Amino acid sequence: MRPLLLVLALLLPLSPTAAHADASAQEAALWAALREGGHVALMRHALAPGTGDPPGFRVDDCTTQRNLSAAGRAQARAIGARFRANGIAAAAVFSSQWCRCLDTARALSLGEVIPFAGLNSFFGRRGEEADQTRAARALIAEQSEAGTPLVLVTHQVNITALTGVFPASGELIVMRVEGDALSLAGRIATSP
């Protein structure tokens, strides 16, 4: 009987309830870190069906691009509500110039959205990766000292280049900023 009790005691901390409580505490710590500064939320744009953009797309013409679906627009609004529910009603928000990113950033309703070319997708143009990653890092270093929560809305390839993480649509990758160095603080899932 004792071995069975020992096995149960060891498994108890792994119960779904304990795991959920631990995940909730970790998420709460990430929201607190964003409120307190020294961190940045890298957000992949909300749901936009497909991959890349159609041939001949233009950044200045949303009708030529892959755009948010209705579910993506709802997802972006819901993510903005989560920011507010976690004590962040305003933030410095920078976005890729792609329409799906700008639309996501605006739907967050956290304040003025500033288009920033350094966050533009380099999918299909890998030669631009190093320059754009440097520009994004410089923006993060500059803005993280302002004391305002910082949100960058961009693309999977940009986030992966900065962090090594492959984010889901709408996912928040929270990075600790220490001078020029970025380190992963955690991830906040935001599925619809």
Side-chain angles (χ1 to χ4, degrees), residues 22-35 39-45 75 78-88 108 150-151 159 165-175 184-192:
D22 187 46
S24 293
Q26 289 175 5
E27 185 176 310
L30 292 172
W31 288 112
L34 288 171
R35 284 191 307 272
H39 290 75
V40 58
L42 301 172
M43 180 181 175
R44 182 178 178 185
H45 60 77
Q75 180 188 34
I79 295 166
R82 285 188 65 193
F83 269 95
R84 287 182 289 286
N86 284 282
I88 301 173
L108 296 174
L150 178 59
V151 179
I159 293 171
V165 174
F166 191 105
S169 293
E171 184 174 12
L172 301 173
I173 307 302
V174 179
M175 301 297 289
L184 181 65
R187 301 168 75 156
I188 299 174
T190 57
S191 36

Side-chain angles (χ1 to χ4, degrees), residues 4 19 33 40 42-43 47 60 76 81 106 116 127 135-136 165 177 183:
L4 178 60
V40 58
L42 301 172
M43 180 181 175
L47 295 166
D60 63 344
R106 290 176 183 131
F116 182 71
V165 174
V177 182
S183 59

Side-chain angles (χ1 to χ4, degrees), residues 5 21 30 36 49 55 57-58 70 73 86 95 101 128 141 146 148 167 172 179:
L5 289 175
L30 292 172
E36 293 164 9
F57 85 97
R58 294 192 335 262
R73 289 187 295 278
N86 284 282
S95 174
C101 291
E128 297 175 17
T148 303
L172 301 173

Side-chain angles (χ1 to χ4, degrees), residues 1-13:
M1 189 79 167
R2 284 184 184 214
L4 178 60
L5 289 175
L6 180 59
V7 168
L8 289 174
L10 290 173
L11 291 177
L12 185 59

